[in-house]
Coordinates of all heavy atoms in Angstrom, one line a residue:
L1 N 0.8 -1.2 0.0 CA 0.0 0.0 0.0 C 0.8 1.3 0.0 O 0.3 2.3 -0.3 CB -0.9 0.0 1.2 CG -1.9 -1.2 1.3 CD1 -2.7 -1.1 2.6 CD2 -2.8 -1.2 0.1
G2 N 2.1 1.1 0.3 CA 3.0 2.3 0.4 C 2.9 2.9 1.8 O 2.2 2.4 2.7
S3 N 3.7 3.9 2.0 CA 3.8 4.5 3.3 C 3.4 6.0 3.2 O 3.6 6.6 2.1 CB 5.2 4.4 4.0 OG 6.1 4.9 3.1
V4 N 2.9 6.6 4.3 CA 2.6 8.0 4.3 C 3.8 8.7 4.9 O 4.1 8.4 6.1 CB 1.3 8.3 5.1 CG1 1.0 9.7 5.1 CG2 0.2 7.5 4.5
P5 N 4.4 9.7 4.2 CA 5.5 10.4 4.8 C 5.2 11.1 6.1 O 4.1 11.6 6.3 CB 5.9 11.4 3.7 CG 5.2 10.9 2.4 CD 4.0 10.1 2.9
D6 N 6.1 11.1 7.0 CA 5.9 11.7 8.3 C 4.7 11.2 9.1 O 4.1 12.0 9.8 CB 5.9 13.2 8.2 CG 7.1 13.8 7.5 OD1 8.2 13.3 7.8 OD2 7.0 14.7 6.7
S7 N 4.4 9.9 8.9 CA 3.3 9.4 9.7 C 3.8 8.3 10.6 O 4.9 7.8 10.5 CB 2.2 8.8 8.7 OG 2.8 7.7 8.0
G8 N 2.9 7.8 11.4 CA 3.3 6.7 12.3 C 2.7 6.9 13.7 O 2.2 7.9 14.0
L9 N 2.7 5.8 14.5 CA 2.2 5.9 15.8 C 3.3 5.6 16.8 O 4.2 4.8 16.6 CB 1.1 4.8 16.0 CG -0.1 5.0 15.2 CD1 -1.1 3.8 15.4 CD2 -0.9 6.3 15.6
K10 N 3.3 6.3 17.9 CA 4.3 6.1 18.9 C 3.7 6.4 20.3 O 2.9 7.3 20.4 CB 5.5 7.0 18.7 CG 6.7 6.7 19.6 CD 7.9 7.5 19.1 CE 9.1 7.5 20.0 NZ 9.6 6.2 20.5
L11 N 4.0 5.6 21.3 CA 3.5 5.9 22.6 C 4.1 7.2 23.2 O 5.2 7.6 22.9 CB 3.9 4.8 23.6 CG 3.2 3.4 23.3 CD1 3.8 2.4 24.2 CD2 1.7 3.5 23.4
K12 N 3.3 7.9 24.0 CA 3.7 9.1 24.6 C 4.8 8.8 25.6 O 4.9 7.6 26.1 CB 2.6 9.8 25.3 CG 1.5 10.4 24.4 CD 0.4 11.1 25.2 CE -0.6 11.6 24.2 NZ -1.7 12.3 24.9
K13 N 5.7 9.7 26.0 CA 6.8 9.5 26.9 C 6.2 8.9 28.2 O 6.9 8.1 28.9 CB 7.6 10.8 27.1 CG 8.5 11.1 26.0 CD 9.7 10.0 26.1 CE 10.6 10.3 24.9 NZ 11.4 9.1 24.6
A14 N 5.0 9.4 28.6 CA 4.4 9.0 29.9 C 4.2 7.4 29.9 O 4.1 6.8 31.0 CB 3.1 9.7 30.2
F15 N 4.1 6.9 28.7 CA 3.9 5.4 28.6 C 5.1 4.7 28.1 O 5.0 3.5 27.7 CB 2.7 5.2 27.7 CG 1.4 5.8 28.2 CD1 0.9 6.9 27.6 CD2 0.7 5.3 29.3 CE1 -0.2 7.5 28.1 CE2 -0.4 5.9 29.8 CZ -0.9 7.0 29.2
A16 N 6.2 5.3 28.2 CA 7.5 4.7 27.6 C 7.8 3.3 28.2 O 8.4 2.5 27.6 CB 8.6 5.7 27.8
R17 N 7.4 3.1 29.5 CA 7.7 1.9 30.1 C 6.9 0.7 29.4 O 7.3 -0.5 29.6 CB 7.4 1.9 31.6 CG 6.0 2.0 32.0 CD 5.8 2.1 33.5 NE 4.4 2.1 34.0 CZ 3.6 3.1 34.0 NH1 4.0 4.3 33.5 NH2 2.4 3.0 34.4
F18 N 5.9 1.0 28.7 CA 5.2 0.0 27.9 C 5.6 -0.2 26.5 O 5.1 -1.0 25.8 CB 3.7 0.3 27.9 CG 3.1 0.4 29.3 CD1 2.6 1.6 29.7 CD2 3.0 -0.7 30.1 CE1 2.0 1.7 31.0 CE2 2.4 -0.6 31.4 CZ 2.0 0.6 31.8
D19 N 6.6 0.6 26.1 CA 7.1 0.6 24.7 C 8.2 -0.4 24.6 O 9.3 -0.2 25.1 CB 7.6 2.0 24.4 CG 7.9 2.2 22.9 OD1 8.2 1.2 22.3 OD2 7.9 3.3 22.4
G20 N 7.9 -1.4 23.8 CA 8.9 -2.5 23.6 C 10.2 -2.0 23.0 O 11.3 -2.5 23.4
L21 N 10.1 -1.1 22.1 CA 11.3 -0.6 21.5 C 12.2 0.2 22.5 O 13.4 0.1 22.5 CB 11.0 0.4 20.3 CG 10.3 -0.3 19.1 CD1 9.9 0.7 18.1 CD2 11.2 -1.3 18.5
E22 N 11.5 0.9 23.4 CA 12.3 1.6 24.5 C 12.9 0.6 25.4 O 14.0 0.7 25.8 CB 11.3 2.6 25.2 CG 10.8 3.7 24.4 CD 11.8 4.9 24.5 OE1 12.6 5.0 25.4 OE2 11.6 5.7 23.5
Q23 N 12.1 -0.4 25.8 CA 12.6 -1.4 26.7 C 13.8 -2.1 26.2 O 14.7 -2.5 26.9 CB 11.5 -2.4 27.0 CG 10.3 -1.9 27.7 CD 10.6 -1.4 29.1 OE1 11.4 -2.1 29.8 NE2 10.1 -0.3 29.5
L24 N 13.8 -2.5 24.9 CA 14.9 -3.2 24.3 C 16.0 -2.3 23.7 O 17.0 -2.8 23.3 CB 14.3 -4.1 23.1 CG 13.3 -5.1 23.6 CD1 12.7 -5.8 22.3 CD2 14.0 -6.2 24.4
E25 N 15.8 -1.0 23.9 CA 16.7 0.0 23.3 C 17.1 -0.3 21.9 O 18.2 -0.4 21.5 CB 18.0 0.0 24.2 CG 17.7 0.5 25.6 CD 18.9 0.5 26.5 OE1 19.9 -0.1 26.1 OE2 18.9 1.1 27.5
T26 N 16.0 -0.6 21.1 CA 16.2 -1.0 19.7 C 15.8 0.2 18.8 O 14.8 0.8 19.1 CB 15.3 -2.2 19.4 OG1 15.6 -3.2 20.3 CG2 15.5 -2.7 18.0
E27 N 16.5 0.4 17.8 CA 16.2 1.4 16.8 C 15.4 0.7 15.8 O 15.7 -0.4 15.3 CB 17.5 1.9 16.2 CG 18.2 2.8 17.1 CD 17.6 4.2 17.2 OE1 17.0 4.7 16.2 OE2 17.7 4.8 18.2
L28 N 14.3 1.3 15.4 CA 13.4 0.7 14.3 C 13.8 1.5 13.0 O 13.5 2.7 12.9 CB 12.0 0.9 14.7 CG 11.0 0.4 13.6 CD1 11.1 -1.1 13.4 CD2 9.6 0.7 14.0
D29 N 14.3 0.8 12.1 CA 14.7 1.4 10.8 C 13.6 1.0 9.8 O 13.6 -0.1 9.4 CB 16.1 0.9 10.4 CG 16.6 1.6 9.2 OD1 15.8 2.3 8.5 OD2 17.8 1.6 8.9
L30 N 12.8 2.0 9.5 CA 11.7 1.7 8.5 C 12.2 1.3 7.2 O 11.5 0.6 6.4 CB 10.8 3.0 8.4 CG 10.0 3.3 9.7 CD1 9.2 4.6 9.5 CD2 9.1 2.1 10.1
A31 N 13.4 1.7 6.8 CA 13.9 1.3 5.5 C 14.2 -0.2 5.5 O 13.9 -0.8 4.5 CB 15.3 2.1 5.2
D32 N 14.6 -0.7 6.6 CA 14.8 -2.2 6.7 C 13.4 -2.9 6.5 O 13.3 -3.9 5.9 CB 15.4 -2.6 8.0 CG 16.9 -2.2 8.0 OD1 17.4 -1.9 7.0 OD2 17.4 -2.3 9.2
L33 N 12.4 -2.3 7.2 CA 11.0 -2.9 7.1 C 10.5 -2.9 5.6 O 9.9 -3.9 5.2 CB 10.0 -2.2 8.0 CG 10.2 -2.5 9.4 CD1 9.2 -1.7 10.2 CD2 10.1 -3.9 9.8
D34 N 10.8 -1.8 4.9 CA 10.4 -1.8 3.5 C 11.0 -2.9 2.7 O 10.3 -3.5 1.9 CB 10.7 -0.4 2.9 CG 9.8 0.7 3.3 OD1 8.7 0.4 3.8 OD2 10.1 1.9 3.1
D35 N 12.2 -3.2 3.0 CA 12.9 -4.3 2.3 C 12.2 -5.6 2.6 O 12.1 -6.5 1.7 CB 14.3 -4.4 2.6 CG 15.2 -3.3 2.0 OD1 14.7 -2.6 1.1 OD2 16.3 -3.1 2.5
Q36 N 11.7 -5.8 3.8 CA 11.1 -7.1 4.2 C 9.6 -7.2 3.8 O 9.0 -8.2 3.9 CB 11.2 -7.2 5.7 CG 12.6 -7.3 6.2 CD 12.7 -7.2 7.7 OE1 11.7 -7.5 8.4 NE2 13.8 -6.8 8.2
T37 N 9.0 -6.1 3.4 CA 7.6 -6.1 3.1 C 7.3 -6.0 1.6 O 6.1 -5.8 1.3 CB 6.8 -5.0 3.9 OG1 7.4 -3.7 3.5 CG2 7.0 -5.1 5.4
S38 N 8.3 -6.1 0.8 CA 8.0 -6.1 -0.6 C 7.2 -7.3 -1.0 O 7.3 -8.4 -0.5 CB 9.2 -6.0 -1.5 OG 10.0 -7.1 -1.2
M39 N 6.3 -7.1 -2.0 CA 5.4 -8.2 -2.5 C 6.2 -9.2 -3.4 O 7.1 -8.8 -4.1 CB 4.2 -7.6 -3.3 CG 3.2 -7.0 -2.4 SD 2.3 -8.2 -1.5 CE 2.7 -7.8 0.2
P40 N 5.8 -10.5 -3.3 CA 6.4 -11.4 -4.3 C 6.1 -11.0 -5.7 O 5.0 -10.4 -6.0 CB 5.6 -12.7 -3.9 CG 5.1 -12.5 -2.6 CD 4.8 -11.1 -2.4
E41 N 7.0 -11.3 -6.6 CA 6.8 -10.9 -8.0 C 5.5 -11.4 -8.6 O 5.2 -12.6 -8.4 CB 8.0 -11.4 -8.8 CG 8.0 -10.9 -10.2 CD 9.3 -11.2 -10.9 OE1 10.4 -11.4 -10.2 OE2 9.3 -11.4 -12.1
G42 N 4.8 -10.5 -9.2 CA 3.5 -10.9 -9.8 C 2.3 -10.8 -8.9 O 1.1 -10.8 -9.3
C43 N 2.5 -10.7 -7.6 CA 1.4 -10.7 -6.6 C 0.7 -9.3 -6.7 O 1.3 -8.3 -6.7 CB 1.9 -10.9 -5.2 SG 0.6 -10.8 -4.0
R44 N -0.7 -9.3 -6.7 CA -1.4 -8.1 -6.8 C -2.2 -7.8 -5.6 O -3.3 -7.2 -5.7 CB -2.4 -8.2 -8.1 CG -1.7 -8.7 -9.3 CD -1.0 -7.6 -10.1 NE -1.8 -6.6 -10.6 CZ -2.4 -6.6 -11.8 NH1 -2.3 -7.6 -12.6 NH2 -3.2 -5.5 -12.1
C45 N -1.8 -8.3 -4.4 CA -2.5 -8.1 -3.2 C -2.9 -6.7 -2.9 O -4.0 -6.4 -2.4 CB -1.8 -8.7 -2.0 SG -2.0 -10.4 -1.7
A46 N -2.0 -5.8 -3.2 CA -2.2 -4.4 -2.9 C -3.5 -3.9 -3.6 O -4.3 -3.2 -3.1 CB -1.0 -3.5 -3.2
E47 N -3.6 -4.3 -4.9 CA -4.7 -3.9 -5.7 C -6.0 -4.6 -5.2 O -7.1 -4.0 -5.2 CB -4.5 -4.2 -7.1 CG -3.4 -3.2 -7.7 CD -2.8 -3.8 -9.0 OE1 -1.8 -4.6 -8.8 OE2 -3.3 -3.5 -10.1
V48 N -5.9 -5.9 -4.8 CA -7.0 -6.6 -4.3 C -7.5 -5.9 -3.0 O -8.7 -5.7 -2.9 CB -6.7 -8.1 -4.0 CG1 -7.8 -8.8 -3.2 CG2 -6.4 -8.8 -5.3
L49 N -6.6 -5.6 -2.1 CA -7.0 -5.1 -0.8 C -7.6 -3.6 -0.9 O -8.3 -3.2 -0.1 CB -5.9 -5.1 0.1 CG -5.4 -6.5 0.6 CD1 -4.2 -6.4 1.5 CD2 -6.5 -7.2 1.2
T50 N -7.3 -2.9 -2.0 CA -7.8 -1.6 -2.2 C -9.0 -1.6 -3.1 O -9.4 -0.5 -3.6 CB -6.7 -0.6 -2.7 OG1 -6.1 -1.2 -3.8 CG2 -5.6 -0.4 -1.6
G51 N -9.5 -2.8 -3.5 CA -10.7 -2.8 -4.3 C -10.5 -2.5 -5.8 O -11.5 -2.3 -6.5
R52 N -9.3 -2.5 -6.2 CA -9.1 -2.2 -7.7 C -9.0 -3.4 -8.5 O -9.0 -3.3 -9.8 CB -7.8 -1.4 -7.8 CG -7.9 0.0 -7.2 CD -6.6 0.8 -7.3 NE -5.7 0.3 -6.2 CZ -4.4 0.5 -6.2 NH1 -3.8 1.2 -7.2 NH2 -3.6 0.0 -5.2
L53 N -9.1 -4.6 -7.9 CA -8.9 -5.8 -8.6 C -9.7 -6.9 -7.8 O -9.6 -6.8 -6.6 CB -7.4 -6.2 -8.7 CG -6.9 -7.2 -9.7 CD1 -6.8 -6.5 -11.0 CD2 -5.5 -7.6 -9.3
I54 N -10.3 -7.8 -8.4 CA -10.9 -9.0 -7.7 C -9.9 -10.1 -7.9 O -9.2 -10.2 -8.9 CB -12.3 -9.3 -8.1 CG1 -12.4 -9.7 -9.6 CG2 -13.3 -8.2 -7.8 CD1 -13.7 -10.3 -10.0
P55 N -9.8 -11.0 -6.9 CA -8.7 -12.0 -7.0 C -8.6 -12.8 -8.3 O -7.4 -12.9 -8.8 CB -9.1 -13.0 -5.8 CG -9.7 -12.0 -4.8 CD -10.5 -11.0 -5.7
P56 N -9.6 -13.2 -9.0 CA -9.4 -13.9 -10.3 C -8.8 -13.1 -11.3 O -8.3 -13.6 -12.3 CB -10.9 -14.3 -10.7 CG -11.7 -14.2 -9.5 CD -11.0 -13.2 -8.6
E57 N -8.7 -11.8 -11.1 CA -8.0 -10.9 -12.1 C -6.5 -10.9 -11.9 O -5.8 -10.4 -12.8 CB -8.6 -9.5 -12.1 CG -10.0 -9.4 -12.5 CD -10.6 -8.0 -12.3 OE1 -10.3 -7.3 -11.3 OE2 -11.5 -7.7 -13.1
C58 N -6.1 -11.5 -10.9 CA -4.6 -11.7 -10.7 C -4.2 -12.9 -11.5 O -4.8 -13.9 -11.5 CB -4.3 -12.0 -9.2 SG -2.5 -12.4 -9.0
P59 N -3.2 -12.7 -12.4 CA -2.7 -13.8 -13.3 C -2.3 -15.1 -12.5 O -2.2 -16.1 -13.1 CB -1.6 -13.2 -14.1 CG -1.5 -11.8 -13.7 CD -2.4 -11.5 -12.6
L60 N -1.9 -14.9 -11.3 CA -1.4 -16.1 -10.5 C -2.5 -16.9 -9.8 O -2.3 -18.0 -9.3 CB -0.4 -15.6 -9.5 CG 0.8 -14.9 -10.1 CD1 1.8 -14.5 -9.0 CD2 1.5 -15.6 -11.2
F61 N -3.7 -16.2 -9.7 CA -4.8 -16.9 -8.9 C -5.2 -18.2 -9.5 O -5.4 -18.4 -10.7 CB -6.0 -15.9 -9.0 CG -7.2 -16.4 -8.2 CD1 -7.3 -16.2 -6.8 CD2 -8.3 -17.1 -8.8 CE1 -8.4 -16.6 -6.1 CE2 -9.4 -17.5 -8.1 CZ -9.4 -17.3 -6.8
D62 N -5.3 -19.2 -8.7 CA -5.8 -20.6 -9.0 C -4.9 -21.2 -10.1 O -5.3 -22.0 -10.9 CB -7.2 -20.5 -9.6 CG -7.8 -21.9 -9.6 OD1 -7.3 -22.9 -8.9 OD2 -8.9 -22.1 -10.2
G63 N -3.6 -20.8 -10.1 CA -2.6 -21.4 -10.9 C -1.3 -21.5 -10.1 O -1.2 -22.5 -9.3
A64 N -0.5 -20.6 -10.2 CA 0.7 -20.6 -9.3 C 0.4 -20.3 -7.9 O 1.1 -20.7 -7.0 CB 1.7 -19.5 -9.8
C65 N -0.8 -19.6 -7.6 CA -1.1 -19.3 -6.2 C -2.4 -19.9 -5.8 O -3.5 -19.7 -6.4 CB -1.3 -17.7 -6.2 SG -1.5 -17.1 -4.5
T66 N -2.4 -20.8 -4.9 CA -3.5 -21.5 -4.3 C -3.3 -21.5 -2.8 O -2.2 -21.3 -2.3 CB -3.6 -22.9 -4.8 OG1 -2.5 -23.7 -4.4 CG2 -3.7 -23.0 -6.3
P67 N -4.4 -21.8 -2.0 CA -4.2 -21.9 -0.5 C -3.1 -22.9 -0.1 O -2.4 -22.7 0.9 CB -5.6 -22.3 0.0 CG -6.5 -21.7 -1.1 CD -5.8 -21.9 -2.4
S68 N -3.0 -24.0 -0.9 CA -2.0 -25.0 -0.5 C -0.6 -24.6 -1.0 O 0.4 -25.2 -0.5 CB -2.3 -26.4 -1.0 OG -2.4 -26.3 -2.5
S69 N -0.5 -23.7 -1.9 CA 0.8 -23.2 -2.3 C 0.7 -21.7 -2.6 O 0.7 -21.2 -3.7 CB 1.2 -23.9 -3.6 OG 2.5 -23.5 -4.0
P70 N 0.6 -20.9 -1.5 CA 0.3 -19.4 -1.7 C 1.6 -18.7 -2.2 O 2.7 -19.0 -1.8 CB -0.1 -19.0 -0.3 CG 0.5 -19.9 0.6 CD 0.6 -21.2 -0.1
V71 N 1.3 -17.7 -3.0 CA 2.4 -16.8 -3.5 C 2.4 -15.6 -2.6 O 3.4 -15.1 -2.2 CB 2.3 -16.5 -5.0 CG1 3.3 -15.4 -5.4 CG2 2.5 -17.8 -5.8
G72 N 1.2 -15.0 -2.4 CA 1.1 -13.7 -1.7 C 0.4 -13.9 -0.4 O -0.3 -14.9 -0.2
P73 N 0.5 -12.8 0.4 CA -0.2 -12.9 1.8 C -1.7 -13.0 1.7 O -2.3 -13.6 2.7 CB 0.3 -11.6 2.4 CG 0.7 -10.7 1.3 CD 1.2 -11.6 0.2
C74 N -2.3 -12.6 0.7 CA -3.8 -12.6 0.6 C -4.3 -14.1 0.5 O -5.5 -14.4 0.7 CB -4.3 -11.8 -0.6 SG -3.9 -10.1 -0.6
M75 N -3.4 -15.0 0.1 CA -3.8 -16.4 -0.1 C -3.3 -17.2 1.1 O -3.7 -18.4 1.2 CB -3.2 -16.9 -1.4 CG -3.7 -18.2 -1.8 SD -5.4 -18.3 -2.3 CE -5.3 -17.9 -4.0
V76 N -2.6 -16.7 2.0 CA -2.0 -17.5 3.1 C -3.0 -17.9 4.1 O -3.2 -19.1 4.4 CB -0.8 -16.8 3.8 CG1 -0.3 -17.5 5.0 CG2 0.3 -16.5 2.8
S77 N -3.7 -17.0 4.7 CA -4.7 -17.3 5.7 C -6.0 -17.6 5.1 O -6.4 -17.1 4.1 CB -4.8 -16.0 6.6 OG -6.0 -16.1 7.4
S78 N -6.8 -18.4 5.8 CA -8.1 -18.7 5.3 C -9.0 -17.5 5.3 O -10.0 -17.4 4.6 CB -8.8 -19.8 6.2 OG -8.9 -19.4 7.5
E79 N -8.6 -16.5 6.1 CA -9.3 -15.2 6.1 C -8.8 -14.2 5.1 O -9.4 -13.1 4.9 CB -9.2 -14.6 7.5 CG -9.8 -15.4 8.6 CD -9.4 -15.0 10.0 OE1 -8.5 -14.1 10.1 OE2 -10.0 -15.6 10.9
G80 N -7.8 -14.6 4.3 CA -7.3 -13.7 3.3 C -8.3 -13.5 2.2 O -9.0 -14.5 1.9
S81 N -8.3 -12.4 1.6 CA -9.3 -12.1 0.5 C -9.1 -13.1 -0.7 O -10.1 -13.6 -1.2 CB -9.1 -10.7 0.0 OG -7.8 -10.4 -0.3
C82 N -7.9 -13.4 -1.1 CA -7.8 -14.3 -2.2 C -8.2 -15.8 -1.8 O -8.8 -16.5 -2.6 CB -6.4 -14.3 -2.7 SG -6.0 -12.7 -3.6
A83 N -7.8 -16.1 -0.6 CA -8.1 -17.5 -0.1 C -9.6 -17.6 0.0 O -10.2 -18.7 -0.3 CB -7.4 -17.8 1.2
A84 N -10.3 -16.6 0.6 CA -11.7 -16.7 0.7 C -12.4 -16.8 -0.7 O -13.3 -17.5 -0.8 CB -12.2 -15.5 1.5
Y85 N -11.9 -16.0 -1.6 CA -12.5 -16.0 -2.9 C -12.2 -17.4 -3.5 O -13.1 -18.0 -4.2 CB -11.8 -15.0 -3.8 CG -12.7 -14.4 -4.9 CD1 -13.4 -13.2 -4.7 CD2 -12.9 -15.1 -6.1 CE1 -14.2 -12.7 -5.7 CE2 -13.8 -14.6 -7.0 CZ -14.4 -13.4 -6.9 OH -15.2 -12.9 -7.8
Y86 N -11.1 -18.0 -3.3 CA -10.7 -19.3 -3.9 C -11.7 -20.3 -3.3 O -12.2 -21.2 -4.0 CB -9.3 -19.6 -3.5 CG -8.8 -20.9 -4.1 CD1 -8.1 -21.0 -5.3 CD2 -9.0 -22.1 -3.4 CE1 -7.7 -22.2 -5.8 CE2 -8.5 -23.3 -3.9 CZ -7.9 -23.3 -5.1 OH -7.4 -24.5 -5.6
L87 N -12.0 -20.3 -2.0 CA -12.8 -21.3 -1.4 C -14.3 -21.1 -1.6 O -15.0 -22.1 -1.7 CB -12.5 -21.2 0.2 CG -11.1 -21.7 0.6 CD1 -11.0 -21.4 2.1 CD2 -10.9 -23.1 0.3
Y88 N -14.8 -19.9 -1.8 CA -16.2 -19.7 -1.8 C -16.8 -19.1 -3.1 O -18.0 -19.2 -3.3 CB -16.6 -18.8 -0.7 CG -16.2 -19.4 0.7 CD1 -15.2 -18.8 1.4 CD2 -16.8 -20.5 1.2 CE1 -14.8 -19.3 2.7 CE2 -16.4 -21.1 2.4 CZ -15.4 -20.4 3.1 OH -15.1 -21.0 4.3
E89 N -15.9 -18.6 -4.0 CA -16.5 -17.9 -5.2 C -15.9 -18.5 -6.5 O -16.3 -18.0 -7.5 CB -16.1 -16.4 -5.1 CG -16.8 -15.7 -4.0 CD -18.3 -15.6 -4.2 OE1 -18.8 -15.6 -5.4 OE2 -19.1 -15.5 -3.2
R90 N -15.0 -19.4 -6.4 CA -14.4 -19.9 -7.6 C -15.3 -20.7 -8.4 O -16.2 -21.4 -8.0 CB -13.2 -20.8 -7.2 CG -12.1 -20.8 -8.1 CD -10.9 -21.4 -7.5 NE -11.2 -22.5 -6.5 CZ -10.9 -23.8 -6.7 NH1 -10.3 -24.2 -7.8 NH2 -11.2 -24.7 -5.8
Ligands
SF4_1 S1 -2.3 -13.7 -3.0 FE1 -2.0 -14.9 -4.9 S2 -3.9 -14.6 -6.1 FE2 -3.9 -13.0 -4.5 S3 -3.0 -11.3 -5.5 FE3 -1.3 -12.3 -4.5 S4 -0.5 -13.7 -6.0 FE4 -2.5 -13.0 -6.7

């Protein structure tokens, strides 16, 4: 879906004792997260989740991507939009 510049959530200083990042003294590098959250090649989950595409319009649906062999995150969980479509609308 992309990221919104200068956005994000963080606990107020008064609640810092509940902040896992503060507790672990860990720096969160969003650039590293972007590397880890890129979509598998050909996966159209972003378009499915934003209503611009229905799962069968993805070229990998019911071919390379099935619930028993998912390519993208929308097919992994039984609650995923592609998996639900595969199970109930195919
Ligand atoms: S989860 Fe599978 S079917 Fe759904 S958009 Fe990604 S690749 Fe296509």
